[in-house]
Amino acid sequence: MTVQPTQTEPAPRSAPPLWPRFTSTLRSTALTARVGRVLGICFGICFVTGLLSHYQYHPWSWLPEPASPVWAYRVTQGIHVVTGTAAIPLLLVKLWSVFPKLFQWPPVKSALHTLERLSLAVLVSSALVELFTGFFNALNWYPWPWDFVQVHRFLAYVVIGSILLHIAVKLPDIKYGLKVKVADGDVLTEISWEDNPDAYSNNDDTAQPAPVTPGITRRGLLAATGIGVAIVVASSIGETVTPLAPIGLLATRQPKRGPQGVPVNRTADQANVRELALAPSWQLAVTGRQPYVLTLAEIEQLATHEASFPIACVEGWSVGAHWRGLRLRDVVERAGGTIHSRVRVVSLEAHGAWKHSYVEGPQVASALLATHLNGGRLDIEHGYPLRLIAPDRAGVLNTKWLTRVEVL
Ligand SMILES: Nc1nc2c(c(=O)[nH]1)N[C@H]1C(S)=C(S)[C@@H](COP(=O)(O)O)O[C@H]1N2
Ligand SMILES: [Mo]
């Protein structure tokens, strides 16, 4: 698109001498629109899978989490973490491609333009914080003082809202950018006529240096972006797609590394439960209309049911596992409940957000109170003497080191 300033328009003021100038011809609306499209798709998928993950924590009572397919959460949360990770290089390239706009002169032109720039500032900063804190979370690193889950969820709405606004505002540019070939299209630099008409004026050839010829083409840049994203995805997906584990450089938890071939999220010592969990006097209290207790010996005898359910951590790693134990429904029914009861399982842990969790809906009928994992007695790190394991459930809700089952 060759745009010429119309004669009638008043010429905008030129930027001050020390104001940054950008001359790379790599930047173009065509490039920005293409990277933006993939980024938008990533954000969309990440948002929806994020909502699904949030629903694990706060299901509506009339629509409890399903219990099948057993791998559903494993897949949706894996996709959530991978699309979020892939969005980081995409966002950086997209920001680079529009970076000169940050220095456009004059900085604001009208009230509407000011609003648009402010909304962009919100979009860029919230997206950066959301993606980077999410990435650190996947590395199991929480170097900030706020509650990650709350802030992550709140920011998700801010990001998605400002993306929709951004798309609405930029629709003409997006349509144009997607229509032209990457190699063609206008050059998106600070020296476009709109921002600095002097640069394009033929009468004044001292105004701007000729654009530098970049070392790679725009197509090359797109390909490099694609390769970068592929590397990031391949090196993080290994923590959930087991055959890809060896290339999982960014995967914090190698799926098979850990006692009994399963990673450990929080150890018995971190939870401060080792002594209580190993005490010979340990027993399981079951409360409800007909309360009772089960001793360790009784539990070992009743543990005859088997199931293959994955452990799928919100932080993105997951692994298939084979479990043996008691059926939760049997324990609940003996206390006078039914498979329609709401159940709370309580851990030996005194503190911590995950010391108990609720089981309701179809998961009551299919959950196990597990004593065995992958053919051996449950390791202390995996919740010995007894833990909850249910299908299609966030790992964080599969409470370890149980002490009580409450039929509500
Ligand atoms: N009591 C208790 N149970 C817990 C946790 C915890 O901190 N305390 N962590 C949870 C998390 S975040 C995950 S991902 C799974 C992991 O189980 P694993 O350590 O056996 O792999 O346990 C869950 N159960
Ligand atoms: Mo987890």
Side-chain angles (χ1 to χ4, degrees), residues 265 312-315 317 394-396:
N265 191 278
C313 181
V314 284
E315 286 158 0
W317 62 266
V396 71

Side-chain angles (χ1 to χ4, degrees), residues 263-266 313 347 349 354 382 387 395-396 398 400-401:
V264 171
N265 191 278
R266 195 142 182 260
C313 181
S347 136
E349 253 176 298
W354 311 115
H382 289 306
R387 79 170 299 163
V396 71
N398 285 310
K400 308 196 275 192
W401 313 293

